[in-house]
Amino acid sequence: MKVMNKPTLLILHGWGCDKSVYSDLVAFLEPRYNVVLPELPGFGATPEPPEPWGVYEYAEYVADLCDREGIIPDVLFCHSLGCRIATVLLSGEIGYNMSPRKVIFTGAAGIRPKQTLRQKLRTRLFKISRVLLRPSPEKLEAMRQKYGSADYRSATPMMRQCLVKIVNLDLTELFMEVKNDTLLIWGGNDDSTPLSDGYLMECLMPGAGLAVIEGAGHYAFLEQPALFKKILNSYLGGN
C-alpha cells in the first residue's frame, strides 16, 4: 500500500533483470519513498510482448502503466535498458509528460558502440552462412550460440527479436533532449556500457553530472552497495 505523504520513486530495470536484482536498493529507499518497480514485458513474471518490441514500444508501455496506475514519479531510477526507455520518455519524443525532480541513470545504455573489425567480420560471416548454407533449425541455433552475445544466447526467440531492435537503436542525439537534473553513476570497469559512454552522456545531457565507482562493473549497486548508497544519499538529500 502506498503511503501518500511520501514521494514516489519509479525504478526501470535493466535487460534480463527482475525485481529481485534490486531488492537491496528497494529496502534502502522505501523508508523515504513509495518505490514502484514494475517488471517489463518479457522479464520476471510479466509475459512477453505480443510482437517484437523496441525501445519506443517499451516506453509506450511505461507511459500507459503510469497513466493507468496514477504513477507520478518524483524520482526516476534507471539501469541499463531502463535508461534507454527513460530517455525516450524524458525527451518528450512520444509526447508523454514525465518530469521527475531528479533522475538517476546507472550503467546507462543507448549509445550504439562502434563495431571492431573482428565484430564486423563475425556478423558478416554469420549472415553469409545463414544465406548460403541454409542451415537446419538446429544448426542455425548452434550458429547463434557461437556468434551471439550472452544476452542474445540466453533469450527466448521473441526476446531475441526485441533485443536486436533495442540495441540497434542509437539514442545519442536524443540524450541532448533530456534536460532533467540527472546523476549518472558508472562502474569504472563496466564492460557492457563502457565508461566512455558515461563521459559522453555527461556532455550531451544539459543537467547531468557523472559519479564513477572505481572497481565496479555494470551492476555497481550490487558490487559496491555501500558506496553506491552513499552517492545516492548525497544526491537525494538523505542522511
Side-chain angles (χ1 to χ4, degrees):
M1 179 181 295
K2 292 183 179 181
V3 180
M4 298 311 295
N5 62 349
K6 289 197 295 186
T8 295
L9 185 148
L10 174 62
I11 297 178
L12 298 180
H13 65 72
W15 181 271
C17 297
D18 58 26
K19 289 182 178 181
S20 65
V21 174
Y22 306 90
S23 57
D24 184 56
L25 266 180
V26 170
F28 171 71
L29 293 165
E30 276 186 329
R32 287 180 286 164
Y33 296 95
N34 288 310
V35 180
V36 179
L37 173 49
E39 289 178 321
L40 299 171
F43 304 99
T46 308
E48 294 179 353
E51 59 187 16
W53 280 9
V55 179
Y56 281 83
E57 288 84 358
Y58 274 104
E60 292 280 3
Y61 173 87
V62 173
D64 290 343
L65 176 70
C66 289
D67 278 344
R68 187 170 65 251
E69 301 294 333
I71 301 168
I72 305 174
D74 183 69
V75 178
L76 183 60
F77 180 101
C78 311
H79 173 226
S80 195
L81 167 63
C83 301
R84 295 180 189 265
I85 296 167
T87 299
V88 172
L89 290 168
L90 296 171
S91 66
E93 187 74 359
I94 62 172
Y96 185 75
N97 182 26
M98 179 179 282
S99 52
R101 180 176 57 88
K102 293 194 173 185
V103 176
I104 300 118
F105 278 8
T106 184
I111 295 175
R112 187 176 181 182
K114 293 182 179 178
Q115 283 192 315
T116 64
L117 179 59
R118 180 183 177 86
Q119 289 171 327
K120 288 179 181 179
L121 289 173
R122 284 171 64 90
T123 301
R124 188 165 182 80
L125 179 60
F126 173 72
K127 290 180 178 179
I128 291 173
S129 300
R130 187 174 59 184
V131 173
L132 295 182
L133 299 180
R134 298 183 182 275
S136 66
E138 293 77 15
K139 288 185 178 180
L140 182 59
E141 178 61 24
M143 290 167 62
R144 286 169 174 156
Q145 291 294 326
K146 180 178 180 180
Y147 295 112
S149 66
D151 283 338
Y152 185 86
R153 292 195 301 269
S154 63
T156 65
M158 174 61 76
M159 296 310 291
R160 284 178 178 177
Q161 294 179 73
C162 292
L163 181 61
V164 170
K165 289 187 69 173
I166 288 166
V167 300
N168 283 328
L169 178 64
D170 189 353
L171 298 173
T172 301
E173 293 187 4
L174 209 57
F175 284 113
M176 294 185 286
E177 303 303 319
V178 178
K179 298 179 172 61
N180 305 71
D181 187 320
T182 303
L183 172 64
L184 306 169
I185 308 179
W186 229 276
N189 294 341
D190 192 332
D191 57 4
S192 295
T193 52
L195 180 57
S196 57
D197 287 1
Y199 287 121
L200 178 55
M201 287 183 197
E202 184 183 28
C203 293
L204 293 172
M205 301 166 72
L210 175 66
V212 179
I213 300 181
E214 298 295 344
H218 193 53
Y219 292 82
F221 55 92
L222 294 178
E223 296 163 27
Q224 296 203 29
L227 181 53
F228 195 95
K229 291 171 186 175
K230 185 175 181 179
I231 294 170
L232 279 185
N233 259 340
S234 177
Y235 180 61
L236 296 175
N239 295 322

